[in-house]
Amino acid sequence: MILKILDTTKSLTELVTDQTEGLGRLPEAVTATVTEERNGAFTLEFRLPMTAAHFSEIGLGGLILAKPNPYDDPQIFRIQKISRPIGGIVTVKANHVSYDLAKTSVLPFTATGASAAMTGIKNNMTGGSAFQFSTNITNTS
């Protein structure tokens, strides 16, 4: 799996549809493992030499695109931890970008129906502006 560093100045919507190479690829990654547990952790861990071409662009909060398995589309992960170098290699740990929702809260509101509830969540959310909500449920109960 070849990882790709993404441009954090772009919105998540832009990044999902971005067909460029981002800030660059990381073919020098020694290992790259995505762990995806059902209803559990969705993480990326990789080891990268400090001599890698794009090493200087790796930083906390940075975004990495990785293919979690041979069947699914590539997913975006946000860097959470970078180890100290051991033998010139760092270990980088990242969580799936959906974990960003854990840093948000929703102010109280009332709504009638699923569509109004989705709109209410979006309008009353603190943080998480990069996320969009929708539903195909049309009832108003």
Side-chain angles (χ1 to χ4, degrees):
M1 152 183 10
I2 296 186
L3 308 172
K4 187 180 351 179
I5 303 173
L6 301 177
D7 185 354
T8 56
T9 63
K10 293 184 177 182
S11 72
L12 289 177
T13 304
E14 290 175 305
L15 291 173
V16 168
T17 58
D18 190 3
Q19 297 297 315
T20 69
E21 292 299 314
L23 298 177
R25 291 181 172 258
L26 298 172
E28 304 96 334
V30 177
T31 62
T33 305
V34 173
T35 302
E36 184 178 9
E37 299 171 4
R38 185 174 297 177
N39 297 322
F42 196 8
T43 59
L44 165 68
E45 182 175 314
F46 63 96
R47 297 177 62 221
L48 187 70
M50 295 176 66
T51 56
H54 296 286
F55 178 79
S56 63
E57 296 171 45
I58 298 290
L60 293 177
L63 298 172
I64 303 289
L65 188 71
K67 196 162 172 59
N69 59 56
Y71 312 105
D72 292 334
D73 292 333
Q75 299 289 313
I76 300 173
F77 294 84
R78 186 173 303 279
I79 297 173
Q80 300 298 316
K81 184 177 181 182
I82 303 169
S83 74
R84 291 183 182 207
I86 297 174
I89 296 176
V90 296
T91 300
V92 179
K93 296 183 180 185
N95 291 331
H96 190 267
V97 74
S98 64
Y99 283 47
D100 287 359
L101 283 172
K103 300 173 191 159
T104 66
S105 60
V106 178
L107 300 171
F109 71 94
T110 58
T112 303
S115 182
M118 294 293 135
T119 302
I121 290 171
K122 182 68 174 171
N123 292 340
N124 292 284
M125 179 182 264
T126 59
S129 61
F131 293 93
Q132 296 181 7
F133 303 90
S134 65
T135 181
N136 61 359
I137 299 173
T138 57
N139 70 6
T140 56
S141 56

